[in-house]
Structures are given as structure tokens and as C-alpha cells.
Amino acid sequence: MSATPLRRRARSRLTQGALPYLLLAPALLVIAAVVLYPMLYSATLSFFKANLLNMDRMTFVGLQNYADVLTDSAFWRSLWVTIQYTVGVVALSFGLGLGTALMLNVRFPLRGLARALIIIPWATPWLVTTLIWYVMFNPQIGPINAILKQLGLIETGVAWLYLNGTAMPVIILVTAWRLFPTTTLLVLAALQSISPELYEAAEVDGAGWLGKLRFITLPGISATSFVSLVLVTISAFKLFTVAWVMTAGGPGDVTRVLSVFVYEEAFRFFRVGPSSTLATLLFILSAGMVVAYFRLLQGGRDEPE
Amino acid sequence: MSQSSVSLFAASRRKVDLLQRGLVMFAAFAIGIVIFYPFYWMVMASGLPEGSSLARTTVLIPGSIGLEAYAAVLLQKPMLQWTANTLLVTVLSTAFVTPLALLAAYSMSRFRFRGRMAMIFFVLLTQLLPATSVLIPLFLVFRAYGLLNNLLGVTIAYVTFLMPQTIWILWGYLKSIPGDFEESAMVDGCTRFGAFLRVTVPIAIPGIVAAGLFAFLESWNQYILAYALTSSTDKWVVSLGLYAFIGEYTVLVEQMMAASVMASIPALAVFVALQRYLRGGLALGGLKG
């Protein structure tokens, strides 16, 4: 870097003193009060047995809650359901996002309008999204069964939300419908930044549609795709509303993701200990995911751009 | 390659291009229908006369379009109160979080200090946690301080998830702005903080607006925190009012959809007004490390 001595002094002044901490202090105080404190409180409660409606009677049970939760098949089942849900949502919304971005990158009439409208599902409140689809999938009055009947694909109404085989695909579809536009936007921006000269050069070299996709388009959007995969993973992993409103975790435990599991333990069964234990385990699990993410980033840096 | 084969090649390319464009347009149209059909259905169902959606399924053409369901929702439910509550909580939490997050993000993007990596780690970690995992402690603390069933309590609860998210977005954006401008201003005699206020903040406006927009939409989306922390209907936010329709929905589909339309309008309006900031404002450098 070509820093002048003055600039270098200015830069060295940046790294000194209490200013970084002073700037950080207000946000840090708030985080300590409303994020860190509840987490630590939760961790403390995980060593007790207590009922949410009668917190005066707390008994210290040590690691008993952890032993209980970790040997409870419902916990492992819920973790597996969360993985299914997250992976399903990430895959479907990425496919939709990539497909729509590739399309919106081709010139056609009304493309500007299509680009503006594609983001609308993302700006719709989660609960509205969920309610619309909830009614649309209703076996009696929902249009989805009606359309499928008219097309001759089904004969009688299917109770999509109440069948073991269909509940999870439905909530994955609804969640992906709401989340995919961010991927479209990000990937489209990356597509637009690929130099057209690269494509021209490839055509001169005789590359076909597939060749251009594989050797120019996909490498050009890989970094952005990674970002959008991370974003969608974060959203899907912690999501509560869809699984709760559409299926309440059911039928049985087919869609009981961890966020619903934690909630039910606390506010349906009032079991403070197991719920706090779950919250703490989620914290540890999330920490593991962040570490894996940082590792991935560092691994990516060694690769040629 | 001879001259004629090049021009042949170009001509066939044009044909392929046309074909490709036609195909893409057709596919875009088909996908557009699938994507927007739920909105269409919501609006159509909301325009039906009371109880008629039970009688027959509305797939395409409604018998009549009316405002009956809207009037019913406005008259029978405190829809306006819920909307006002939501606006209050959403605006308060966004306005509180954004400036503090901006200072923190600035500190993280411009300084190397002890604890910085821990801060980055923590900010990302908290975004992965479901809101339900902090509900018990919030519930207990709020009960102790009389913040249950209180809009101030709901606002504070919203801050728990908005603060890390907003810091993250702003950190990513500020990282993408080179520090040279500030350094020049400091060489010219500005203090560090003065340079931040007069140079960095104006450049960062798109990022700040985008982060604020995200915070606003996230708050507007919130459901479970408000659900667990409020009990009386006059303290509800609009998503709780919507959720209550589930219990009665077999008789009130039209009202449920009318309320959904009304609940979407403020979020969509804010979004449409500010969406030009979204593209530029989301540098997302934060996620790239």
C-alpha cells in the first residue's frame, strides 16, 4: 500500500485507544442485557427442575436434564426433522433462485417489471404467507386440491397437512416460496457483473450453452451462491412460524423442528428445565455451525479465485 | 474458419437466441403464475361475500368482488389497533437498534482490537438461534419487571434479534467502503468521530437504509415473541390477530384473507418505497469474511 507518512500516522492512531470500545459500548450493553443475559439465565435454568407456572419451587438437578434430553429419542428425532427441513428449504429455494436469476438475465419484454415483482414474496409478512398457503392446501375449500382434481391428478381431496408423507414437503415448499427471492436478487447481481467478453470468447472457441453455463456462469456466481446459501440456511434453521401455524409440528412429530420443540416444552408443558436445556444445546449446536462456517471461509481463501 | 462459415454461425446463433428468448419468456410467464397465484387467490378470496368460500372452491373467477369482508374485519376486530401497535413496536425497535448497530459495525469494520473476533463470532451465532430459545428467560424477567402484556416489553424482545442482525448487515456494508476517505478527512483536521459522521455516514446511507428496512420487515414479521409475551387482545400485534383467525377460519376465510391483505400493505408499502436501496445497500461483505 502506498500510504504517506501522515496517513500511516492516521492509520496507526486508529488502532490505538479506547475509541473502538466506546463505539461498541452502547450496542454491547444492549446485547449483554437482552441477548447475553437471557442466554446465561437459560443456561442456569438448564440445571434445575421447575415448572414455568410455579417458579418458586426450583430444585437443582445437576446434569440430569442433559442426560434426559440427550437420551430422549424425541430430541434426536426433532434434530433430524430440522435437518430435513433446512436442507429441503435451502435446496428448493436455491434452485428457484438460481433458475429465476438465469431467466431474468436473458433479455425479454417486460423483464424490468418481472425483476421488480420477483422480490414481492419476500416482502410479504411470514404469517400472511403461511395463512394463504394454509387455506390453499385445505382439503375441502383449498384451490390446490380443486386444480389437481380438474387436471385429473387426484380423485378425492388430499389432506396435505395431515399426512405423514406430505406435511414436510408442503412446509418446505411454503418456506422456499417465501425465501427464494433473496437468492434471485443476489445471483442476478453476480450474473450482471460477469463480463460479456468472456461469453463472446467462449463462443468463438465453440462453447455451447451448457459449456458457457459450466465454465463461465457457474464459476462467476459461486461466491455469491455461497453467501445466499448461508443466508437461507440461517433463516430456515431457526424458523418457527411455518411449522407451527401450518402443522403445529404434526402430524405426530413429522414437522416438529427444534424451534417448535423448545417452545412446546416451555409454553405447552411448562417444563422449564428441559426447555432451557434444549436452548443451551441449540446454542452449542449453533456455535459449532459458526465454527464450521469460518473454517469453510478460510478453506475457500486458499483456492484460486 | 472461413468468412462464410462465420456468418452462417452468426445467423444460426441469432435463431438460437430468438428461440431461447421465446422459451425463457414462456417459462418466466409460467413461473410467474405459480409465484403470484397465492397473492391472486388471497385478494380474490378476500372479495367474496361472507361464507361463500365454503360453498364452492375459488380457483379462478370469483362470482363477485366486494369489500364486505374488509368491513367486517374493521368493525368486528381491533384491526386498526393491532396495526398501530405493530407500527409502534416496529418503528421503535428499528429506530433504537439502527444507530447503535451502526456505531458497533463501524468499530468492527475499522479497528483491530481485542475481542473483535469474539464479537463477530457472537453476532453470527445469535442469528442462528430460534427466537423460541430465549423465550423462557425473557418471559421470567419480564414477569418480574411488569413488562408482560406491555408493548415496551415486546419492543425490548424485538431488540434481541434485531441488534445482531443489523450489526451484521452494517458491518458487511462498511467493510465494502474503503477507509481512505476518512483518512483524508482526518489529515485535513477532522477528528476520527467527525470523519465518521461527515464522511462515512453519508456514503453509507444505502447500507443504513437497507439494514433499517431489514429490521423493519423482520419486526413486522415477528410473531412468536409477541405471542408469548402479550395476553390481552388490545396489546396484540397484527400477526397475532391474523393467527387468531385460524381458530375460526372454517367460517371466516374471507375475513382471514381480507385481514391478510391489510396486514401486508404497510410492509409492502415500506418495501416498495425503499427497495431501490436494497440492491446497492446489501453489499453482504460480512458473509464473505
Side-chain angles (χ1 to χ4, degrees):
Chain A
M1 285 292 167
S2 61
T4 64
L6 254 179
R7 288 213 164 171
R8 198 171 292 138
R9 206 190 304 149
R11 191 167 288 168
S12 78
R13 217 168 50 197
L14 311 187
T15 52
Q16 286 164 8
L19 187 59
Y21 298 104
L22 281 177
L23 290 168
L24 212 52
L28 213 49
L29 272 176
V30 172
I31 286 180
V34 301
V35 187
L36 208 53
Y37 174 68
M39 281 178 183
L40 292 176
Y41 192 0
S42 191
T44 312
L45 288 172
S46 70
F47 299 112
F48 288 86
K49 191 175 177 347
N51 184 303
L52 191 63
L53 302 179
N54 184 12
M55 289 297 287
D56 297 333
R57 283 206 191 161
M58 280 182 22
T59 30
F60 182 79
V61 293
L63 289 171
Q64 188 58 46
N65 286 325
Y66 287 89
D68 289 347
V69 169
L70 289 172
T71 54
D72 184 359
S73 63
F75 166 70
W76 297 103
R77 173 85 190 133
S78 179
L79 183 62
W80 173 232
V81 167
T82 310
I83 293 170
Q84 287 175 335
Y85 180 58
T86 308
V87 170
V89 168
V90 168
L92 185 58
S93 70
F94 186 73
L96 274 173
L98 183 64
T100 46
L102 285 171
M103 274 184 197
L104 291 174
N105 199 39
V106 178
R107 208 167 287 141
F108 61 86
L110 298 179
R111 180 174 70 166
L113 184 70
R115 277 186 183 172
L117 287 177
I118 195 88
I119 190 83
I120 297 292
W122 179 80
T124 314
W126 269 111
L127 208 73
V128 170
T129 304
T130 314
L131 286 188
I132 301 175
W133 285 97
Y134 180 72
V135 185
M136 291 210 334
F137 273 111
N138 181 288
Q140 277 87 43
I141 62 168
I144 288 179
N145 274 339
I147 292 171
L148 291 177
K149 266 188 217 165
Q150 271 169 12
L151 292 175
L153 293 172
I154 53 170
E155 292 196 349
T156 49
V158 176
W160 299 95
L161 299 172
Y162 308 101
L163 296 175
N164 283 341
T166 53
M168 178 57 87
V170 165
I171 68 165
I172 287 175
L173 171 78
V174 173
T175 312
W177 180 82
R178 170 66 171 60
L179 287 176
F180 84 89
T182 49
T183 305
T184 311
L185 271 198
L186 287 169
V187 172
L188 186 58
L191 285 172
Q192 285 166 329
S193 68
I194 299 176
S195 157
E197 284 157 26
L198 283 176
Y199 288 108
E200 282 160 23
E203 274 169 26
V204 169
D205 289 346
W209 181 82
L210 204 65
K212 282 189 279 183
L213 182 71
R214 187 168 156 215
F215 294 110
I216 301 173
T217 311
L218 292 184
I221 59 171
S222 67
T224 310
S225 300
F226 176 68
V227 170
S228 66
L229 286 175
V230 171
L231 276 179
V232 176
T233 307
I234 290 174
S235 304
F237 177 73
K238 65 179 174 184
L239 199 69
F240 173 83
T241 309
V242 179
W244 177 252
V245 174
M246 291 196 86
T247 55
D253 57 5
V254 170
T255 59
R256 189 164 63 187
V257 291
L258 284 166
S259 60
V260 171
F261 195 32
V262 178
Y263 177 77
E264 283 196 320
E265 284 293 316
F267 288 88
R268 198 168 149 208
F269 305 118
F270 307 116
R271 303 195 299 184
V272 171
S275 185
S276 303
T277 306
L278 278 171
T280 311
L281 288 172
L282 265 172
F283 184 84
I284 296 168
L285 184 66
S286 306
M289 286 166 74
V290 176
V291 169
Y293 166 72
F294 280 143
R295 285 272 158 81
L296 262 177
L297 273 185
Q298 271 160 5
R301 257 189 217 122
D302 299 334
E303 285 167 15
E305 292 279 310
Chain B
M1 204 178 269
S2 73
Q3 191 63 39
S4 65
S5 81
V6 167
S7 68
L8 250 178
F9 176 68
S12 77
R13 208 185 94 198
R14 255 193 305 271
K15 235 182 252 168
V16 168
D17 262 15
L18 261 177
L19 183 71
Q20 190 190 357
R21 233 169 260 178
L23 275 176
V24 165
M25 226 188 128
F26 176 75
F29 190 68
I31 290 180
I33 288 178
V34 174
I35 289 172
F36 289 103
Y37 180 71
F39 290 111
Y40 168 83
W41 197 81
M42 166 173 74
V43 174
M44 285 304 150
S46 76
L48 290 171
E50 196 102 344
S52 62
S53 57
L54 265 184
R56 69 189 154 80
T57 316
T58 316
V59 176
L60 276 180
I61 306 133
S64 62
I65 276 280
L67 295 174
E68 202 182 314
Y70 291 86
V73 170
L74 288 172
L75 289 174
Q76 292 164 19
K77 313 260 166 167
M79 190 69 195
L80 294 177
Q81 173 81 55
W82 293 339
T83 309
N85 288 348
T86 317
L87 267 178
L88 179 76
V89 171
T90 303
V91 170
L92 268 184
S93 54
T94 304
F96 177 73
V97 162
T98 310
L100 300 191
L102 179 63
L103 292 179
Y106 181 69
S107 172
M108 286 160 67
S109 69
R110 290 294 187 271
F111 299 94
R112 296 286 173 273
F113 54 90
R114 251 173 186 284
R116 179 173 168 274
M117 271 318 284
M119 186 77 193
I120 293 169
F121 187 84
F122 185 75
V123 163
L124 185 53
L125 166 62
T126 45
Q127 287 183 77
L128 272 166
L129 290 174
T132 45
S133 66
V134 288
L135 257 180
I136 285 195
L138 283 181
F139 181 81
L140 293 174
V141 171
F142 282 12
R143 190 165 65 181
Y145 289 94
L147 286 168
L148 282 186
N149 204 26
N150 180 322
L151 288 176
L152 181 64
V154 176
T155 309
I156 295 172
Y158 283 13
V159 171
T160 60
F161 66 89
L162 287 187
M163 187 64 97
Q165 171 198 306
T166 313
I167 291 179
W168 192 255
I169 295 173
L170 285 171
W171 178 55
Y173 192 78
L174 289 175
K175 272 203 312 187
S176 72
I177 302 175
D180 301 357
F181 303 113
E182 287 152 43
E183 280 162 23
S184 310
M186 285 165 71
V187 172
D188 292 343
C190 253
T191 60
R192 179 81 203 173
F193 196 69
F196 164 68
L197 276 186
R198 265 173 248 158
V199 181
T200 313
V201 171
I203 301 175
I205 292 271
I208 298 170
V209 175
L213 177 61
F214 261 84
F216 183 91
L217 291 176
E218 279 294 304
S219 304
W220 198 272
N221 268 326
Q222 241 308 312
Y223 154 69
I224 190 58
L225 286 171
Y227 183 66
L229 299 174
T230 52
S231 46
S232 60
T233 53
D234 64 317
K235 295 286 163 43
W236 276 7
V237 294
V238 74
S239 50
L240 301 190
L242 286 181
Y243 182 65
F245 276 101
I246 288 258
E248 17 184 2
Y249 91 102
T250 39
V251 279
L252 296 174
V253 178
E254 303 83 17
Q255 286 193 26
M256 185 167 151
M257 291 298 109
S260 295
V261 172
M262 287 191 267
S264 314
I265 287 171
L268 280 176
V270 170
F271 174 78
V272 168
L274 298 178
Q275 79 153 327
R276 66 199 163 93
Y277 290 99
L278 203 61
R279 264 160 242 244
L282 280 184
L284 292 164
L287 281 162
K288 287 179 194 165

PDB file of all heavy atoms in Angstrom, chain A residues 82-101:
ATOM      1  N   THR A  82     -35.348 -31.093  11.775  1.00  0.00           N
ATOM      2  CA  THR A  82     -34.793 -29.768  11.483  1.00  0.00           C
ATOM      3  C   THR A  82     -33.826 -29.832  10.311  1.00  0.00           C
ATOM      4  O   THR A  82     -33.811 -28.940   9.453  1.00  0.00           O
ATOM      5  CB  THR A  82     -34.083 -29.198  12.725  1.00  0.00           C
ATOM      6  OG1 THR A  82     -34.958 -29.310  13.841  1.00  0.00           O
ATOM      7  CG2 THR A  82     -33.697 -27.744  12.525  1.00  0.00           C
ATOM      8  N   ILE A  83     -33.004 -30.890  10.288  1.00  0.00           N
ATOM      9  CA  ILE A  83     -32.049 -31.046   9.186  1.00  0.00           C
ATOM     10  C   ILE A  83     -32.793 -31.238   7.864  1.00  0.00           C
ATOM     11  O   ILE A  83     -32.491 -30.590   6.858  1.00  0.00           O
ATOM     12  CB  ILE A  83     -31.083 -32.220   9.467  1.00  0.00           C
ATOM     13  CG1 ILE A  83     -30.190 -31.883  10.657  1.00  0.00           C
ATOM     14  CG2 ILE A  83     -30.227 -32.520   8.243  1.00  0.00           C
ATOM     15  CD1 ILE A  83     -29.367 -33.050  11.158  1.00  0.00           C
ATOM     16  N   GLN A  84     -33.824 -32.114   7.878  1.00  0.00           N
ATOM     17  CA  GLN A  84     -34.623 -32.328   6.668  1.00  0.00           C
ATOM     18  C   GLN A  84     -35.202 -31.006   6.168  1.00  0.00           C
ATOM     19  O   GLN A  84     -35.122 -30.670   4.986  1.00  0.00           O
ATOM     20  CB  GLN A  84     -35.804 -33.257   6.968  1.00  0.00           C
ATOM     21  CG  GLN A  84     -35.447 -34.701   7.169  1.00  0.00           C
ATOM     22  CD  GLN A  84     -36.679 -35.512   7.579  1.00  0.00           C
ATOM     23  OE1 GLN A  84     -37.631 -34.967   8.128  1.00  0.00           O
ATOM     24  NE2 GLN A  84     -36.656 -36.781   7.301  1.00  0.00           N
ATOM     25  N   TYR A  85     -35.795 -30.278   7.103  1.00  0.00           N
ATOM     26  CA  TYR A  85     -36.458 -29.022   6.762  1.00  0.00           C
ATOM     27  C   TYR A  85     -35.450 -28.019   6.187  1.00  0.00           C
ATOM     28  O   TYR A  85     -35.660 -27.450   5.107  1.00  0.00           O
ATOM     29  CB  TYR A  85     -37.124 -28.479   8.025  1.00  0.00           C
ATOM     30  CG  TYR A  85     -37.860 -27.180   7.877  1.00  0.00           C
ATOM     31  CD1 TYR A  85     -38.898 -27.045   6.961  1.00  0.00           C
ATOM     32  CD2 TYR A  85     -37.536 -26.084   8.675  1.00  0.00           C
ATOM     33  CE1 TYR A  85     -39.595 -25.856   6.851  1.00  0.00           C
ATOM     34  CE2 TYR A  85     -38.234 -24.903   8.572  1.00  0.00           C
ATOM     35  CZ  TYR A  85     -39.263 -24.783   7.656  1.00  0.00           C
ATOM     36  OH  TYR A  85     -39.951 -23.608   7.555  1.00  0.00           O
ATOM     37  N   THR A  86     -34.340 -27.837   6.906  1.00  0.00           N
ATOM     38  CA  THR A  86     -33.345 -26.850   6.473  1.00  0.00           C
ATOM     39  C   THR A  86     -32.775 -27.218   5.110  1.00  0.00           C
ATOM     40  O   THR A  86     -32.721 -26.379   4.200  1.00  0.00           O
ATOM     41  CB  THR A  86     -32.216 -26.746   7.515  1.00  0.00           C
ATOM     42  OG1 THR A  86     -32.792 -26.532   8.799  1.00  0.00           O
ATOM     43  CG2 THR A  86     -31.278 -25.597   7.192  1.00  0.00           C
ATOM     44  N   VAL A  87     -32.366 -28.478   4.956  1.00  0.00           N
ATOM     45  CA  VAL A  87     -31.772 -28.899   3.688  1.00  0.00           C
ATOM     46  C   VAL A  87     -32.796 -28.774   2.554  1.00  0.00           C
ATOM     47  O   VAL A  87     -32.494 -28.273   1.464  1.00  0.00           O
ATOM     48  CB  VAL A  87     -31.226 -30.339   3.788  1.00  0.00           C
ATOM     49  CG1 VAL A  87     -30.824 -30.865   2.416  1.00  0.00           C
ATOM     50  CG2 VAL A  87     -30.039 -30.390   4.735  1.00  0.00           C
ATOM     51  N   GLY A  88     -34.038 -29.193   2.830  1.00  0.00           N
ATOM     52  CA  GLY A  88     -35.085 -29.098   1.810  1.00  0.00           C
ATOM     53  C   GLY A  88     -35.324 -27.666   1.376  1.00  0.00           C
ATOM     54  O   GLY A  88     -35.382 -27.366   0.176  1.00  0.00           O
ATOM     55  N   VAL A  89     -35.442 -26.761   2.358  1.00  0.00           N
ATOM     56  CA  VAL A  89     -35.705 -25.356   2.043  1.00  0.00           C
ATOM     57  C   VAL A  89     -34.527 -24.754   1.281  1.00  0.00           C
ATOM     58  O   VAL A  89     -34.710 -24.055   0.282  1.00  0.00           O
ATOM     59  CB  VAL A  89     -35.979 -24.545   3.340  1.00  0.00           C
ATOM     60  CG1 VAL A  89     -35.959 -23.064   3.051  1.00  0.00           C
ATOM     61  CG2 VAL A  89     -37.306 -24.953   3.942  1.00  0.00           C
ATOM     62  N   VAL A  90     -33.310 -25.038   1.745  1.00  0.00           N
ATOM     63  CA  VAL A  90     -32.127 -24.464   1.101  1.00  0.00           C
ATOM     64  C   VAL A  90     -32.043 -24.961  -0.342  1.00  0.00           C
ATOM     65  O   VAL A  90     -31.840 -24.171  -1.274  1.00  0.00           O
ATOM     66  CB  VAL A  90     -30.846 -24.817   1.890  1.00  0.00           C
ATOM     67  CG1 VAL A  90     -29.602 -24.468   1.079  1.00  0.00           C
ATOM     68  CG2 VAL A  90     -30.828 -24.075   3.214  1.00  0.00           C
ATOM     69  N   ALA A  91     -32.251 -26.266  -0.553  1.00  0.00           N
ATOM     70  CA  ALA A  91     -32.142 -26.815  -1.906  1.00  0.00           C
ATOM     71  C   ALA A  91     -33.212 -26.228  -2.822  1.00  0.00           C
ATOM     72  O   ALA A  91     -32.906 -25.744  -3.921  1.00  0.00           O
ATOM     73  CB  ALA A  91     -32.255 -28.337  -1.860  1.00  0.00           C
ATOM     74  N   LEU A  92     -34.470 -26.240  -2.360  1.00  0.00           N
ATOM     75  CA  LEU A  92     -35.554 -25.767  -3.224  1.00  0.00           C
ATOM     76  C   LEU A  92     -35.448 -24.267  -3.496  1.00  0.00           C
ATOM     77  O   LEU A  92     -35.601 -23.826  -4.641  1.00  0.00           O
ATOM     78  CB  LEU A  92     -36.911 -26.101  -2.599  1.00  0.00           C
ATOM     79  CG  LEU A  92     -38.125 -25.764  -3.446  1.00  0.00           C
ATOM     80  CD1 LEU A  92     -38.080 -26.479  -4.785  1.00  0.00           C
ATOM     81  CD2 LEU A  92     -39.421 -26.122  -2.717  1.00  0.00           C
ATOM     82  N   SER A  93     -35.167 -23.478  -2.464  1.00  0.00           N
ATOM     83  CA  SER A  93     -35.122 -22.035  -2.697  1.00  0.00           C
ATOM     84  C   SER A  93     -33.890 -21.666  -3.518  1.00  0.00           C
ATOM     85  O   SER A  93     -33.927 -20.720  -4.298  1.00  0.00           O
ATOM     86  CB  SER A  93     -35.174 -21.254  -1.385  1.00  0.00           C
ATOM     87  OG  SER A  93     -33.997 -21.420  -0.676  1.00  0.00           O
ATOM     88  N   PHE A  94     -32.824 -22.439  -3.390  1.00  0.00           N
ATOM     89  CA  PHE A  94     -31.659 -22.140  -4.221  1.00  0.00           C
ATOM     90  C   PHE A  94     -31.945 -22.484  -5.685  1.00  0.00           C
ATOM     91  O   PHE A  94     -31.610 -21.715  -6.589  1.00  0.00           O
ATOM     92  CB  PHE A  94     -30.423 -22.884  -3.729  1.00  0.00           C
ATOM     93  CG  PHE A  94     -29.181 -22.479  -4.470  1.00  0.00           C
ATOM     94  CD1 PHE A  94     -28.607 -21.242  -4.242  1.00  0.00           C
ATOM     95  CD2 PHE A  94     -28.625 -23.304  -5.418  1.00  0.00           C
ATOM     96  CE1 PHE A  94     -27.497 -20.836  -4.950  1.00  0.00           C
ATOM     97  CE2 PHE A  94     -27.500 -22.910  -6.133  1.00  0.00           C
ATOM     98  CZ  PHE A  94     -26.936 -21.681  -5.892  1.00  0.00           C
ATOM     99  N   GLY A  95     -32.592 -23.615  -5.891  1.00  0.00           N
ATOM    100  CA  GLY A  95     -32.967 -23.986  -7.258  1.00  0.00           C
ATOM    101  C   GLY A  95     -33.864 -22.929  -7.887  1.00  0.00           C
ATOM    102  O   GLY A  95     -33.619 -22.481  -9.011  1.00  0.00           O
ATOM    103  N   LEU A  96     -34.902 -22.524  -7.144  1.00  0.00           N
ATOM    104  CA  LEU A  96     -35.812 -21.491  -7.642  1.00  0.00           C
ATOM    105  C   LEU A  96     -35.076 -20.179  -7.886  1.00  0.00           C
ATOM    106  O   LEU A  96     -35.268 -19.514  -8.908  1.00  0.00           O
ATOM    107  CB  LEU A  96     -36.935 -21.248  -6.621  1.00  0.00           C
ATOM    108  CG  LEU A  96     -38.159 -22.147  -6.676  1.00  0.00           C
ATOM    109  CD1 LEU A  96     -39.058 -21.860  -5.474  1.00  0.00           C
ATOM    110  CD2 LEU A  96     -38.932 -21.888  -7.965  1.00  0.00           C
ATOM    111  N   GLY A  97     -34.218 -19.805  -6.925  1.00  0.00           N
ATOM    112  CA  GLY A  97     -33.496 -18.539  -7.027  1.00  0.00           C
ATOM    113  C   GLY A  97     -32.548 -18.531  -8.214  1.00  0.00           C
ATOM    114  O   GLY A  97     -32.492 -17.570  -8.989  1.00  0.00           O
ATOM    115  N   LEU A  98     -31.816 -19.630  -8.385  1.00  0.00           N
ATOM    116  CA  LEU A  98     -30.861 -19.726  -9.488  1.00  0.00           C
ATOM    117  C   LEU A  98     -31.601 -19.720 -10.827  1.00  0.00           C
ATOM    118  O   LEU A  98     -31.243 -18.987 -11.753  1.00  0.00           O
ATOM    119  CB  LEU A  98     -30.029 -21.003  -9.341  1.00  0.00           C
ATOM    120  CG  LEU A  98     -28.918 -21.238 -10.365  1.00  0.00           C
ATOM    121  CD1 LEU A  98     -27.869 -20.157 -10.244  1.00  0.00           C
ATOM    122  CD2 LEU A  98     -28.282 -22.612 -10.175  1.00  0.00           C
ATOM    123  N   GLY A  99     -32.668 -20.527 -10.911  1.00  0.00           N
ATOM    124  CA  GLY A  99     -33.434 -20.597 -12.150  1.00  0.00           C
ATOM    125  C   GLY A  99     -34.015 -19.249 -12.537  1.00  0.00           C
ATOM    126  O   GLY A  99     -33.868 -18.798 -13.681  1.00  0.00           O
ATOM    127  N   THR A 100     -34.652 -18.574 -11.575  1.00  0.00           N
ATOM    128  CA  THR A 100     -35.259 -17.280 -11.893  1.00  0.00           C
ATOM    129  C   THR A 100     -34.186 -16.244 -12.227  1.00  0.00           C
ATOM    130  O   THR A 100     -34.373 -15.421 -13.120  1.00  0.00           O
ATOM    131  CB  THR A 100     -36.131 -16.780 -10.731  1.00  0.00           C
ATOM    132  OG1 THR A 100     -35.413 -16.948  -9.507  1.00  0.00           O
ATOM    133  CG2 THR A 100     -37.430 -17.546 -10.648  1.00  0.00           C
ATOM    134  N   ALA A 101     -33.046 -16.305 -11.547  1.00  0.00           N
ATOM    135  CA  ALA A 101     -31.984 -15.335 -11.838  1.00  0.00           C
ATOM    136  C   ALA A 101     -31.449 -15.537 -13.254  1.00  0.00           C
ATOM    137  O   ALA A 101     -31.234 -14.569 -13.989  1.00  0.00           O
ATOM    138  CB  ALA A 101     -30.862 -15.457 -10.811  1.00  0.00           C
TER     139      ALA A 101
END
